[in-house]
Amino acid sequence: MSWIAISGEDMGWVCPKTFDESETGRNTLLARGSLVIETRLSPDGRPQTLLSYQRRHPWEGGLSLQAIPGGSIVLVMSQGQDVFHTVLSHGRDARTDVLRLTFSWDSPRRWGRLAVERPEADTIEVVKTPAPPPLMLEDIYTMTLRPQLCEMDADVVFFAVSDRIEPIGPMPSLTGTVPVATPMGYKPLKELNCGDTVLSRDNGAVPVLHVVERTVPAFGSFQPVRLRAPYFGLRRDIVVAPHQRLVIGGSEVEYIFGREAVLIPAINLVNGFAAVYEDGHRLVSYRHLLLPGHEALICADAAMESLYVGRLRRNRDRLRSSLLNACPHTLLPEHHRAGYQVLRPFEAITLAEARAA
């Protein structure tokens, strides 16, 4: 199992296999798991209570997670007389206004970790915490289905709870049905595996070093985006994560931006015609390919960035915390970004309109 509770966009859901119908059955502890919260930063620099809840029975306890002006996340948990407290300083980045927080705990191992990621910028800050107390299932149930009993800032996009230690770091961003060009023709991404060969935008046929996949809540920076044909040369619609980047070149790019190629995050194309959000999903599964040199894949005749890992192989702790932990170290490359300009939303829409004209 993985996700057992999700709250977002006025929707609350809990896994019926995990949560007993009776309140007594929910008075048990989740000894191992993860709490993921995605939030927009306050534009006026005010403190934000991302999630706060206090209970009186069967014993006193609570949770408080706050974003402090200046770039700090403060987590406080209590169980009876015991109080757990940790702070993570993530800095302030004017280029992004969205943070994804992942708090993971393993009480039997007396281990905890708080991570802050910026989906738009591929950056991450991590701190290992003192031994945290486990969450009670009843608390998770109440925060998810009875939001009036807890405090949550209006800028919070969603929160979700998993019964696993959720990975941090590079994330997949293509759905399994996306057609990927190979020397033998197009194949659905879900049919490609380590050792297969795919066609890249600039370097011809390249081998697949590793495949990563993950199922996540379909909200916020995970909410799927449908890129619509025929924009950017797509031969058919494809569904991707919001921060999947297209690699776009051609005469219009050189004329408008003075560059050989540019990058466009899918989220910057959402305008009702070039791309639209996919609604009505609770969970979505993404998959991606690790290639030797961060080449761009050919997907439905459009170029898409492959999985970018930077110098992850040099940081063993981060590598163990990521989806790439299972990749043999001898196959893990080091990637360098090509330095392409990343288009802002209005620039992306201008280019989409020019390509469609």
Side-chain angles (χ1 to χ4, degrees):
M1 195 175 292
S2 178
W3 301 102
I4 61 172
I6 302 172
S7 175
E9 298 181 0
D10 299 321
M11 183 278 292
W13 169 85
V14 296
C15 175
K17 293 182 180 180
T18 302
F19 293 89
D20 191 279
E21 293 183 359
S22 67
E23 185 173 339
T24 303
R26 298 193 296 266
N27 287 336
T28 56
L29 298 174
L30 184 64
R32 183 175 187 266
S34 298
L35 169 66
V36 178
I37 298 179
E38 193 162 294
T39 184
R40 302 178 187 90
L41 292 178
S42 171
D44 52 7
R46 59 179 172 79
Q48 296 169 281
T49 298
L50 305 181
L51 188 61
S52 179
Y53 172 72
Q54 298 293 322
R55 87 175 116 75
R56 300 295 181 188
H57 302 283
W59 58 81
E60 290 192 2
L63 175 147
S64 173
L65 191 61
Q66 293 187 316
I68 306 301
S72 294
I73 302 297
V74 179
L75 173 62
V76 180
M77 301 175 68
S78 61
Q79 290 279 17
Q81 300 299 316
D82 297 327
V83 178
F84 163 85
H85 175 272
T86 193
V87 178
L88 172 59
S89 297
H90 60 84
R92 187 81 182 197
D93 191 338
R95 296 172 301 171
T96 182
D97 64 350
V98 175
L99 295 181
R100 182 166 63 240
L101 287 66
T102 302
F103 170 59
S104 298
W105 68 93
D106 190 328
S107 297
R109 291 174 50 206
R110 301 183 62 79
W111 173 91
R113 182 187 68 206
L114 180 61
V116 174
E117 298 174 88
R118 295 177 173 88
E120 301 171 24
D122 295 328
T123 61
I124 182 171
E125 300 291 339
V126 183
V127 62
K128 290 185 179 179
T129 76
L135 288 182
M136 181 179 286
L137 288 181
E138 177 62 26
D139 294 347
I140 299 170
Y141 182 92
T142 300
M143 290 188 294
T144 305
L145 299 184
R146 301 169 184 166
Q148 69 275 14
L149 298 181
C150 62
E151 183 179 355
M152 186 166 62
D153 194 276
D155 286 322
V156 172
V157 180
F158 78 90
F159 76 82
V161 180
S162 167
D163 60 4
R164 296 179 180 177
I165 306 299
E166 290 295 326
I168 55 177
M171 291 293 159
S173 49
L174 298 174
T175 52
T177 57
V178 170
V180 178
T182 76
M184 303 300 292
Y186 276 100
K187 291 186 178 180
L189 178 60
K190 61 186 177 182
E191 296 182 6
L192 295 173
N193 298 291
C194 178
D196 290 339
T197 302
V198 297
L199 296 180
S200 66
R201 177 180 182 267
D202 299 314
N203 297 317
V206 295
V208 176
L209 301 181
H210 193 64
V211 180
V212 296
E213 53 188 335
R214 186 187 181 196
T215 299
V216 290
F219 299 93
S221 64
F222 296 131
Q223 184 175 2
V225 172
R226 177 174 293 274
L227 298 174
R228 301 175 68 182
Y231 294 101
F232 299 110
L234 284 167
R235 65 191 295 180
R236 51 162 283 189
D237 291 4
I238 62 173
V239 179
V240 304
H243 296 290
Q244 170 64 50
R245 292 169 169 176
L246 293 80
V247 183
I248 305 297
S251 57
E252 300 96 336
V253 171
E254 294 186 11
Y255 178 75
I256 298 174
F257 303 104
R259 296 174 178 267
E260 179 183 348
V262 293
L263 299 176
I264 305 180
I267 191 174
N268 290 356
L269 291 170
V270 175
N271 66 343
F273 61 91
V276 294
Y277 281 119
E278 291 268 292
D279 296 320
H281 301 281
R282 182 190 306 135
L283 297 169
V284 58
S285 295
Y286 290 118
R287 189 178 173 94
H288 222 331
L289 305 180
L290 178 65
L291 305 181
H294 190 225
E295 292 88 352
L297 299 164
I298 306 301
C299 301
D301 284 358
M304 303 279 166
E305 269 196 313
S306 59
L307 186 70
Y308 176 75
V309 298
R311 296 182 176 182
L312 182 64
R313 61 176 290 162
R314 301 190 184 191
N315 190 323
R316 292 301 180 94
D317 286 341
R318 298 282 178 88
L319 180 59
R320 283 192 293 266
S321 300
S322 75
L323 288 169
L324 289 153
N325 183 44
C327 179
H329 197 265
T330 54
L331 291 181
L332 194 61
E334 292 191 8
H335 286 161
H336 305 278
R337 289 224 185 258
Y340 294 134
Q341 176 183 346
V342 179
L343 297 192
R344 291 169 290 184
F346 74 90
E347 294 173 324
I349 297 303
T350 297
L351 181 57
E353 293 174 342
R355 295 290 289 263

